[in-house]
């Protein structure tokens, strides 16, 4: 069965510092991979996705993520964090070939940004 | 462009009362539709999904039901709310590209 693990429940970084949020998945083949961001009281916004090809994917708001098959990871990175990046971040995995296109979400990482 | 709406934005209901949450999508046809519930610190739990009108699949046995009376309308209902139904309810739509796009959510508090 598919699963997603986000080992960091809460992370605090200083504004301007670099950021890396971890995501590990369990799946029998190469899955579809996603990162979403959620501001308080809001819906989820898609940051980026990996389907195939180049393992380093660029997303919106200056975020990028790298797919590492050998480590079953899809970590999210940003070189310089802005105060507006404070939010909750969710990694998700989807199965290839399914008719329903269901996603499995991690439990999220809450990012706080210090001035 | 596609837009997804949810209403109401917030709702406070007593235990035992009925529930109806509505989700509509604009700008796309025959989308897959999803209802999720989000509890604090628990991530997103998929409740229902639909691949077409009248086609509903339930992921978790519960006090809730879903219906899809029109192609771009998805409704979440309950006949009698429980305290444990409190949470943040999110509707999402998707296509063959598998990514999902989320609505703004409904905050439900059962008192």
């Amino acid at each position: 069965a598919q699963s997603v693990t986000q080992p960091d429940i809460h992370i605090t970084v200083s504004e301007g510092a670099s950021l890396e949020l971890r995501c590990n998945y369990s799946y029998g083949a190469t899955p579809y991979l996603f990162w979403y961001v959620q501001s308080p009281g809001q819906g989820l916004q898609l940051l980026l996705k990996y389907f195939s090809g180049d393992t380093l994917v660029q997303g919106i708001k200056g975020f990028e993520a790298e797919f590492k098959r050998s480590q079953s990871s899809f970590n999210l990175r940003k070189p310089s964090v802005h105060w507006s990046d404070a939010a909750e971040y969710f990694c998700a995995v989807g199965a290839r070939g399914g008719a329903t296109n269901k996603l499995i979400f991690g439990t999220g990482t809450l990012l706080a940004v210090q001035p | 462009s596609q837009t997804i709406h949810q209403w109401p934005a917030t709702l406070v209901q007593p235990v035992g009362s009925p529930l109806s949450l509505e989700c509509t999508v604009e700008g796309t046809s025959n989308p897959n539709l999803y209802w999720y519930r989000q509890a604090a610190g628990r991530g997103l739990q998929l409740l229902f999904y639909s691949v077409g009108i009248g086609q509903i699949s339930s992921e978790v046995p519960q006090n809730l039901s879903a219906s899809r009376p029109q192609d771009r309308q998805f409704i979440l209902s309950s006949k009698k709310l429980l305290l444990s139904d409190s949470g943040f309810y999110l509707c999402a739509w998707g296509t063959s590209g598998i990514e999902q796009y989320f609505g703004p959510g409904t905050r439900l508090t059962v008192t």
Side-chain angles (χ1 to χ4, degrees):
Chain A
Q2 304 165 62
S3 67
V4 179
T5 301
Q6 294 181 247
D8 303 306
I9 297 173
H10 188 274
I11 285 182
T12 300
V13 300
S14 297
E15 190 168 15
S18 63
L19 171 70
E20 183 168 24
L21 302 182
R22 295 183 290 166
C23 173
N24 293 96
Y25 68 90
S26 174
Y27 186 62
T30 301
Y32 296 116
L33 294 162
F34 307 86
W35 275 100
Y36 286 85
V37 61
Q38 184 181 32
S39 297
Q42 303 296 315
L44 277 71
Q45 181 182 22
L46 179 64
L47 282 176
L48 47 78
K49 60 190 177 187
Y50 173 77
F51 286 0
S52 64
D54 192 347
T55 57
L56 184 63
V57 294
Q58 303 296 321
I60 62 172
K61 305 185 179 186
F63 285 92
E64 65 178 26
E66 186 171 13
F67 169 60
K68 293 185 177 180
R69 184 192 308 273
S70 62
Q71 299 177 20
S72 296
S73 69
F74 189 56
N75 294 351
L76 182 70
R77 302 194 295 246
K78 188 170 185 177
S80 178
V81 171
H82 188 263
W83 64 266
S84 60
D85 294 324
E88 191 158 21
Y89 292 79
F90 292 92
C91 182
V93 61
R96 293 177 180 267
T100 57
N101 295 340
K102 292 188 287 183
L103 297 180
I104 304 298
F105 285 84
T107 52
T109 297
L110 186 61
L111 174 66
V113 180
Q114 289 181 333
Chain B
S1 63
Q2 299 86 3
T3 309
I4 180 168
H5 304 279
Q6 287 187 245
W7 63 89
T10 61
L11 191 60
V12 180
Q13 293 282 95
V15 168
S17 64
L19 173 73
S20 181
L21 303 182
E22 189 165 344
C23 170
T24 59
V25 181
E26 298 176 355
T28 187
S29 297
N30 196 31
N32 292 338
L33 295 172
Y34 308 84
W35 277 112
Y36 291 87
R37 178 168 56 205
Q38 188 176 26
R42 299 283 304 275
L44 281 79
Q45 180 185 37
L46 179 62
L47 301 176
F48 301 94
Y49 65 90
S50 171
V51 298
I53 295 174
Q55 302 179 60
I56 308 296
S57 296
S58 174
E59 287 292 293
V60 181
Q62 58 209 313
N63 184 43
L64 302 169
S65 61
S67 61
R68 184 170 178 175
Q70 301 180 45
D71 181 43
R72 290 170 290 177
Q73 184 184 32
F74 205 23
I75 296 173
L76 184 69
S77 304
S78 174
K79 293 182 179 178
K80 290 185 177 181
L81 283 168
L82 306 173
L83 285 174
S84 58
D85 292 324
S86 292
F88 192 52
Y89 288 83
L90 289 158
C91 180
W93 70 272
T95 65
S96 58
I98 202 173
E99 64 261 39
Q100 295 178 18
Y101 300 94
F102 285 80
T106 295
R107 173 73 61 190
L108 171 65
T109 303
V110 182
T111 59

